[in-house]
Amino acid sequence: MKIMESQNLSSNISFPEQVRRGELLNAKCPSREVLKRITSRWGVLILIALSNETLRFSALRRKIGGVSEKMLAQTLQHLEEDGFIDRIAYPVVPPHVEYKLTPLGKEVQEKVEGLALWLEDNLHRIMEQRQQRAALSSEDTESL
């Protein structure tokens, strides 16, 4: 995906060409919707949770923690529509459905996992920044 520096450049390119190449900074490019789905809180966590295994809905929900059934179902549906997840339904009663990453899903999962690992490795730095900013904010409030 190429990120264009100027919307003027993208105005000279046809819509099919934009879709083929992807222009994330162009407001009309569908890559923004895909990015939104991948990088949503639940999208990232689903991709990570499915990185090395196939899971049923309930096992996936337990593994992630804190996600409602509605949000998990909705996010899984979006990731399936975009070709990142396969939904495997078995014709049994009660219904048995499993989810696994597609080859495309594995590719994006590796990218998302890199961001998640960076976050976990640097969480202490981020939390220190928050504390420093909160301290400065409270000092500014007290001086008023």
Side-chain angles (χ1 to χ4, degrees):
M1 178 179 311
K2 185 173 183 179
I3 300 174
M4 298 297 290
E5 292 183 20
S6 167
Q7 287 195 339
N8 291 336
L9 288 174
S10 63
S11 64
N12 298 328
I13 300 170
S14 68
F15 183 74
E17 179 68 8
Q18 283 180 5
V19 173
R20 188 183 68 74
R21 292 180 42 217
E23 295 182 9
L24 196 57
L25 297 180
N26 184 328
K28 295 179 183 177
C29 186
S31 61
R32 284 194 180 189
E33 182 65 24
V34 177
L35 180 68
K36 180 177 146 184
R37 290 176 172 193
I38 292 168
T39 61
S40 72
R41 172 181 12 176
W42 306 121
V44 167
L45 295 176
I46 288 168
L47 291 168
I48 290 170
L50 292 174
S51 64
N52 296 314
E53 58 188 328
T54 298
L55 293 171
R56 291 180 73 171
F57 184 90
S58 57
L60 184 56
R61 187 168 179 227
R62 279 191 304 276
K63 188 169 185 173
I64 292 174
V67 63
S68 69
E69 284 187 29
K70 178 184 175 184
M71 286 308 301
L72 180 57
Q74 184 178 34
T75 307
L76 285 167
Q77 184 178 20
H78 289 155
L79 293 173
E80 183 183 6
E81 286 172 4
D82 291 338
F84 300 124
I85 290 179
D86 274 335
R87 180 182 185 272
I88 306 149
Y90 297 94
V92 294
V93 176
H96 179 101
V97 178
E98 295 179 341
Y99 297 90
K100 70 175 188 173
L101 294 179
T102 64
L104 187 62
K106 288 178 184 177
E107 286 181 42
V108 74
Q109 179 274 329
E110 290 173 4
K111 304 297 183 188
V112 168
E113 186 177 48
L115 176 61
L117 289 173
W118 180 89
L119 176 61
E120 288 184 343
D121 289 344
N122 291 282
L123 184 60
H124 67 284
R125 294 170 54 201
I126 297 165
M127 298 310 290
E128 288 170 6
Q129 287 295 314
R130 283 186 181 182
Q131 288 175 345
Q132 289 174 6
R133 292 206 181 258
L136 288 172
S137 245
S138 66
E139 287 175 12
D140 289 345
T141 305
E142 289 173 6
S143 66
L144 294 177

